[in-house]
Amino acid sequence: MLSQFSKSSYASIKSVPRMLTRLYSSEIPQFETFAVSMPKKNVFHVEMNRPKQLNTFSKNMWSEMKECFMSLSNNPECRVVVLSGRGKHFTGGIDFNSLIAEGNKISEIEDVGRRGRMFEKMIVKFQDGITALEDCVKPVLVVSHNACVGAGVDLITAADVRYCTQDAWFQVKEVDLGLAADVGTLQRLPKVIGNTSIARELCFTARKLQAKEALEIGLVSKIFPDQETAIKEVLEIAETIAKKSPVAVQNTKICMVYSQSRTTKDGLEHIKLVNQMALQSEDLRKAALAQATKTETEFENL
């Protein structure tokens, strides 16, 4: 969770021209800690935008994260989200100075019960920020480069698909700071990689996980040579998804998220209820016709 890197120069990916952004949408949300653009039709690119602070999670960033992904979840023009970080590192984890400041304020409360309630509220705020990626009904594709530490692992494990660069490394850092990770890694990482032994080793030892091993254990789907190439190719993958029926894609995510912590029987019951309505959508007819005639079709926003 704590960033341990010194300040250094960085090379940012070139921003998408505003004219291109306007071509597709007039509803681009604006944030202080996130830069949002629309480089392709129905594809939104969200970049963590604290490069001088190594994209560490400040108090404001936690709040804006939830606001950002909930706004995109509710935006009918958004069908897929690509998440990346500006600067040298994907993220150095939580902003330790911000965390200490919050902790000091809470410590001034004399009663232990009331202090505990304030810590609870702080933890819930952090958890809600990360879970916003999972609650967003649009698929979230994340691209990690260089360091992805502490809260960064919480973040990527809440995404739907993960990619990284050759120089990427991951670290569940919390035990080195004297605490247990509390915003999602302990719950999601074992499910993401499907191996509780490796997940527990990473969480107990706080060792660095290099890109090659991350691919081998299933944490990421693919490794790219550099960030520019990664973002370019992942945006193309996102574009492919965005061209498909948003009813089908979004219901697929909703059902997969619902089923990941439930029995197969419960998951089947859920998709049955969802498809009672979805099978009546015009998207089914349009998609079937396109497949039969080997032509492309366009679907309305959802």
Side-chain angles (χ1 to χ4, degrees):
M1 295 174 72
L2 171 63
S3 167
Q4 295 193 349
F5 312 111
S6 60
K7 293 181 180 179
S8 58
S9 59
Y10 60 90
S12 297
I13 298 299
K14 291 182 179 179
S15 300
V16 178
R18 290 184 179 181
M19 186 167 64
L20 181 60
T21 297
R22 291 197 198 98
L23 176 64
Y24 294 130
S25 174
S26 59
E27 297 183 12
I28 305 293
Q30 301 296 318
F31 302 96
E32 180 184 334
T33 61
F34 292 94
V36 184
S37 60
M38 194 177 180
K40 294 179 179 290
K41 185 177 180 180
N42 299 126
V43 176
F44 280 65
H45 186 193
V46 176
E47 299 172 277
M48 290 186 284
N49 192 26
R50 301 185 76 230
K52 293 181 180 179
Q53 295 79 28
L54 307 177
N55 293 323
T56 50
F57 289 47
S58 63
K59 179 180 179 180
N60 188 36
M61 191 170 178
W62 288 109
S63 299
E64 289 196 335
M65 189 183 308
K66 180 178 181 180
E67 185 182 349
C68 176
F69 282 93
M70 288 301 93
S71 69
L72 295 178
S73 183
N74 294 323
N75 186 339
E77 289 192 74
C78 176
R79 298 190 187 181
V80 189
V81 182
V82 174
L83 173 63
S84 65
R86 288 183 173 179
K88 183 178 180 181
H89 297 284
F90 177 68
T91 177
I94 199 167
D95 184 329
F96 202 56
N97 291 329
S98 177
L99 181 65
I100 290 174
E102 288 298 302
N104 287 340
K105 288 181 183 178
I106 296 174
S107 296
E108 293 175 0
I109 301 172
E110 293 185 4
D111 181 69
V112 64
R114 289 170 174 78
R115 283 202 307 272
R117 182 58 58 87
M118 293 305 294
F119 273 118
E120 177 193 13
K121 290 180 179 179
M122 182 180 73
I123 294 169
V124 168
K125 178 181 179 180
F126 294 174
Q127 291 176 341
D128 287 350
I130 296 294
T131 300
L133 277 70
E134 198 170 73
D135 289 342
C136 176
V137 297
K138 318 301 171 61
V140 179
L141 285 54
V142 63
V143 179
S144 300
H145 72 285
N146 218 323
C148 177
V149 178
V153 179
D154 294 301
L155 183 66
I156 66 169
T157 53
D160 296 290
V161 189
R162 289 157 294 280
Y163 304 94
C164 74
T165 57
Q166 286 183 146
D167 62 0
W169 55 273
F170 308 84
Q171 188 175 24
V172 185
K173 185 71 175 173
E174 284 79 357
V175 292
D176 280 349
L177 304 175
L179 71 154
D182 55 10
V183 291
T185 290
L186 303 186
Q187 293 70 36
R188 294 187 178 101
L189 181 60
K191 296 173 186 174
V192 166
I193 67 174
N195 188 318
T196 58
S197 178
I198 293 177
R200 294 185 188 200
E201 178 201 327
L202 293 171
C203 295
F204 293 156
T205 64
R207 73 173 176 86
K208 292 182 180 181
L209 178 74
Q210 301 296 332
K212 182 176 181 294
E213 186 180 0
L215 179 64
E216 291 171 350
I217 67 174
L219 180 61
V220 298
S221 299
K222 187 174 181 179
I223 299 173
F224 296 96
D226 53 65
Q227 188 189 24
E228 185 175 4
T229 302
I231 291 177
K232 178 179 179 294
E233 294 198 25
V234 173
L235 284 173
E236 290 175 359
I237 294 171
E239 184 179 32
T240 298
I241 297 171
K243 289 180 179 179
K244 301 183 185 299
S245 160
V247 173
V249 171
Q250 291 172 35
N251 282 342
T252 294
K253 172 168 181 174
I254 290 168
C255 290
M256 293 186 80
V257 170
Y258 179 89
S259 297
Q260 67 187 6
S261 299
R262 294 175 173 84
T263 65
T264 300
K265 183 178 180 181
D266 288 344
L268 289 171
E269 180 68 18
H270 182 255
I271 186 60
K272 178 186 72 176
L273 297 174
V274 169
N275 269 1
Q276 284 178 1
M277 293 297 293
L279 289 174
Q280 300 178 61
S281 169
E282 67 169 11
D283 286 19
L284 183 64
R285 178 189 59 80
K286 292 175 71 173
L289 182 62
Q291 288 291 311
T293 58
K294 300 188 186 309
T295 58
E296 290 189 2
T297 188
E298 291 189 5
F299 300 95
E300 292 184 12
N301 291 331
L302 176 61

